[in-house]
Amino acid sequence: MKRIEIILGDITKLQVDAIVNAANTTLLGGGGVDGAIHRVAGPGLLEECRKLQGCPTGEAKITGGYCLPARYVIHTVGPVYRDGKQGEPELLASCYRNSLRLAVAHHLKTLAFPCISTGVYRFPKGKAAGIALREIGDFLVHHTDFEKITAVCFEEEDYRLYRQLVKKMGLES
Ligand code: ADP
């Protein structure tokens, strides 16, 4: 399935319909990918985010992309990983599903995801990659007109895991 692309790089540089932000529940910016997105997008993004009044874990909200090359930003809040028994896998899957649902509702065709929850939220990288690729793969099977989903790995370890898994899961020829 060629509509899944795995890259090693910086999500803020991608010219796609929307990039997904691994935000926190306040939606008022933070570190990691969230900080990078706000830095490049500029103050207009924070201003729009303030009006959204936060976002619960597992859900997603959409804003403009401002100074980013991407037209939109879909902000989703991943779970903080504790022991894996607090619903973390289901919540992480919801992040992907709800982001994809918003993309469809806005007639978007290209989307890029970071490795949600695998930074300061400490979700084990292998497990998170499995959930991400399962949700992306299922979505593309059911949405044949969706052009491309890019999984953006910022760390070599994530990139290696995604490459291995995408082959193992038969998502790439
Ligand atoms: P979370 O709080 O959901 O764990 P983080 O931002 O701490 O979010 O980390 C999520 C992932 O985003 C990590 O894999 C981190 O390496 C990655 N990341 C950080 N900066 C960028 C960037 N500019 N582009 C893409 N991914 C990034």
Side-chain angles (χ1 to χ4, degrees), residues 54-112:
C55 180
T57 303
E59 296 186 18
K61 294 190 177 181
I62 190 165
T63 65
Y66 298 87
C67 299
L68 287 158
R71 275 165 55 212
Y72 295 94
V73 179
I74 294 175
H75 307 262
T76 189
V77 183
V80 176
Y81 193 88
R82 300 193 199 285
D83 58 3
K85 295 173 190 155
Q86 317 299 319
E88 299 96 325
E90 294 76 15
L91 285 167
L92 185 61
S94 295
C95 287
Y96 285 92
R97 254 179 256 150
N98 285 322
S99 298
L100 289 162
R101 196 173 297 153
L102 268 181
V104 169
H106 286 78
H107 311 288
L108 311 185
K109 298 285 178 225
T110 55
L111 187 63

Side-chain angles (χ1 to χ4, degrees), residues 136-157:
I136 292 169
D138 281 357
F139 174 84
L140 287 174
V141 166
H142 293 104
H143 295 83
T144 49
D145 60 337
F146 206 89
E147 282 171 28
K148 194 186 266 187
I149 299 179
T150 307
V152 185
C153 303
F154 196 63
E155 298 168 38
E156 299 262 2
E157 186 186 351

Side-chain angles (χ1 to χ4, degrees), residues 9-11 22 32-33 36 115-121 152 154-155 158:
D10 179 352
I11 203 167
V33 69
C115 306
I116 302 166
S117 280
T118 65
V120 292
Y121 285 2
V152 185
F154 196 63
E155 298 168 38
D158 288 309

